[in-house]
Amino acid sequence: MTAKTRIVLSSDHADIKLRQTIAAHVAELGYEVEDIGPMTSESTPYPKHGEEAARRVASGECDLGIIVCGTGQGIMMAANKVKGIRCGVCSDTFSARMIRQHNNANMLSMGARVIGEGLALDIVDAFLGAEFEGGRHATRVDMITAIEG
Ligand code: RB5
């Protein structure tokens, strides 16, 4: 991905500060950032925010998405319901790299109540720094897409 890559960020109320810190970090790296909120810590359902971010990626408006909820799990499940989305929850940098290289993930989810800010930023760097390897992995990713019907 180049520095022109457009990245959408969203979260639920679990940790808007972490999301905003990630957004600032991603912008500092030179990527175009679309942080779609929420902007307050008022309780708000993660499926709504997972879907909103995922729709921007699925439509091509954004190239990649980064989403956050308490565990990263619920918002990931919602995002993956949108056709064309491949989102993984990561709590380590190896997985973050591999979901790009092997699974061509277009969204990354993290759990704000699982990992700290430093690790979250390293995970983001690993995700954004990796490229899909294609080849045999493309065949498998195509099989995932085929399941969508
Ligand atoms: C909200 O309290 C919490 O359930 C949510 O952030 C997330 O962890 C769901 O998967």
Side-chain angles (χ1 to χ4, degrees), residues 11-15 43-47 68-77 110-114:
S11 71
D12 70 356
H13 56 278
D15 199 336
S43 182
T44 181
Y46 59 81
V68 172
C69 72
T71 58
Q73 301 290 351
I75 201 164
M76 172 276 288
M77 291 177 197
M110 289 177 289
R113 295 171 184 158
V114 181

Side-chain angles (χ1 to χ4, degrees), residues 102-119:
H102 285 193
N103 314 119
N104 201 13
N106 47 17
M107 292 188 71
L108 164 68
S109 181
M110 289 177 289
R113 295 171 184 158
V114 181
I115 57 173
E117 181 184 300
L119 180 53

